[in-house]
Amino acid sequence: MTLDRSQFAINTLQWTDLAKGWEYDDPAFLDKQPRVLREAAESGFSAVMMEVLPTQTIRAYRELLAENGLRAAPGYLQVPLPESHGVTLEPGSAAEFRWFDGVRRRADETHALGLDTIFLSAEMVTGGGMPRFDEAAGVGHAFDRARLEHYTDLLGRAAEILTAEGIRPAFHNHVGSWVETREEIEHVLAGIPDSVLGAGFDLGHLFWAGADVRGMLREHRDRIAALHIKDLDVDRVRALQASPGPYTRSTDNLFLEPGLGGVPLLDCLGELPAAFDGWIIVEVDRPSMEPLASARASWKWVESNFAAA
């Protein structure tokens, strides 16, 4: 493994309160964003996961990164399932075409920030009516083969749009979404050609869902474009696997900064090809300490285990 510190970035999600919803969509976050980016840089990281707010221009975000001496790392894009929003799309209709407008917007943002990779995920609906979020997370609850086939088609369409724009989409798994187990992830990867869709696993979410993390990295090592990493309280994971519950309640005291839990992150990263040059995003969804302290602890782990560029 020849990873170096320049390949690590942090997701500023840990400065938000997910219990209150997706803060990035709130116009009030514009006033908070400069402090968040300043603290991210202060923690030691030189790059943050791209998150152009819907309430700002790409240029404004790029200038804010520059003011704090930060680079952008690949962002994250969710593809919504129409049925989860009470929508039925007629094939070939204008409405179906417009369903992917968010994909096109993310493509523009990615290019404007000098990137060529993006994480592509099934949407995690948090507003109610999503069984894996509201009832049982991490165990493939309410599995439906037809829905998985339909979602694979949607993800393939999004991946084709991104690939045509010269961007490498990397499939990103997430507990609480309709693609959370190894079997579901493998179905998506098998159904969409490698030339159109790469892999961008979240190691913590794989571990939570009971996947063989090292085995998946080994199997798809040449398809991996980027990764998310986090640590977990493994005793809590085992309890959740035995008795699953709603996503938000499950994440209480679950996520940890790298090196503070029981996920064998270094062993997992050791499965990457020797010449791997993609990004590794540290994402502690709900930090175990105050956000700046969490970011500093995360960077200390990077410094302790990886050489300077």
Side-chain angles (χ1 to χ4, degrees):
M1 179 174 58
T2 56
L3 293 172
D4 65 62
R5 295 173 196 167
S6 70
Q7 291 172 260
F8 286 82
I10 191 166
N11 185 354
T12 58
L13 186 66
Q14 66 194 66
W15 275 268
T16 70
D17 185 352
L18 291 176
K20 297 179 180 178
W22 194 247
E23 260 193 273
Y24 292 135
D25 288 346
D26 185 346
F29 192 80
L30 275 171
D31 292 333
K32 182 178 177 180
Q33 189 186 41
R35 176 179 63 80
V36 168
L37 294 177
R38 183 176 66 253
E39 290 188 357
E42 182 182 334
S43 73
F45 284 92
S46 63
V48 294
M49 183 171 138
M50 182 188 82
E51 190 62 63
V52 183
L53 306 180
T55 50
Q56 74 185 156
T57 64
I58 298 173
R59 185 179 71 170
Y61 179 71
R62 186 171 54 213
E63 290 177 351
L64 197 54
L65 289 181
E67 287 171 12
N68 288 281
L70 292 167
R71 298 174 293 144
Y76 170 74
L77 168 66
Q78 298 185 95
V79 177
L81 182 69
E83 291 77 4
S84 294
H85 299 268
V87 174
T88 300
L89 298 176
E90 189 70 27
S93 66
E96 184 192 42
F97 182 87
R98 294 296 301 273
W99 194 254
F100 297 95
D101 280 354
V103 177
R104 299 179 185 96
R105 156 89 180 187
R106 275 299 203 219
D108 281 341
E109 293 170 356
T110 301
H111 276 306
L113 289 159
L115 298 166
D116 59 7
T117 305
I118 191 166
F119 294 94
L120 181 67
S121 178
E123 181 185 41
M124 189 172 71
V125 181
T126 60
M130 173 58 172
R132 292 188 178 178
F133 192 86
D134 301 332
E135 299 169 13
V139 293
H141 178 58
F143 174 79
D144 182 273
R145 173 68 61 179
R147 181 182 55 232
L148 180 58
E149 295 281 1
H150 180 38
Y151 225 142
T152 300
D153 290 341
L154 288 169
L155 290 164
R157 292 271 298 279
E160 287 170 356
I161 292 169
L162 293 164
T163 300
E165 294 296 329
I167 296 167
R168 177 65 163 165
F171 182 71
H172 184 73
N173 57 293
H174 205 294
V175 167
S177 78
W178 287 126
V179 188
E180 67 175 5
T181 66
R182 177 170 186 171
E183 292 72 22
E184 291 164 345
I185 297 163
E186 296 288 5
H187 181 91
V188 169
L189 293 177
I192 304 172
D194 181 8
S195 58
V196 175
L197 181 67
F201 301 133
D202 184 304
L203 305 192
H205 283 270
L206 284 179
F207 192 93
W208 179 1
D212 173 6
V213 182
R214 292 187 66 181
M216 288 191 71
L217 291 171
R218 192 179 310 120
E219 180 179 350
H220 298 290
R221 66 197 313 263
D222 295 327
R223 194 169 184 170
I224 296 169
L227 294 171
H228 276 197
I229 64 170
K230 55 174 62 68
D231 220 331
L232 302 174
D233 179 331
V234 295
D235 290 334
R236 180 101 175 97
V237 171
R238 293 189 186 101
L240 290 170
Q241 290 169 344
S243 181
Y247 183 91
T248 302
R249 193 177 72 209
S250 298
T251 56
D252 289 342
N253 305 312
L254 173 65
F255 298 124
L256 295 169
E257 291 69 24
L260 298 186
V263 179
L265 292 173
L266 293 177
D267 291 340
C268 291
L269 293 177
E271 299 291 349
L272 293 171
F276 180 78
D277 61 357
W279 285 92
I280 309 293
I281 312 289
V282 176
E283 180 191 71
V284 186
D285 308 48
R286 296 179 67 181
S288 70
M289 58 191 82
E290 179 270 330
L292 178 55
S294 171
R296 283 173 167 158
S298 298
W299 181 250
K300 182 179 180 181
W301 178 84
V302 174
E303 275 193 315
S304 299
N305 292 288
F306 302 95

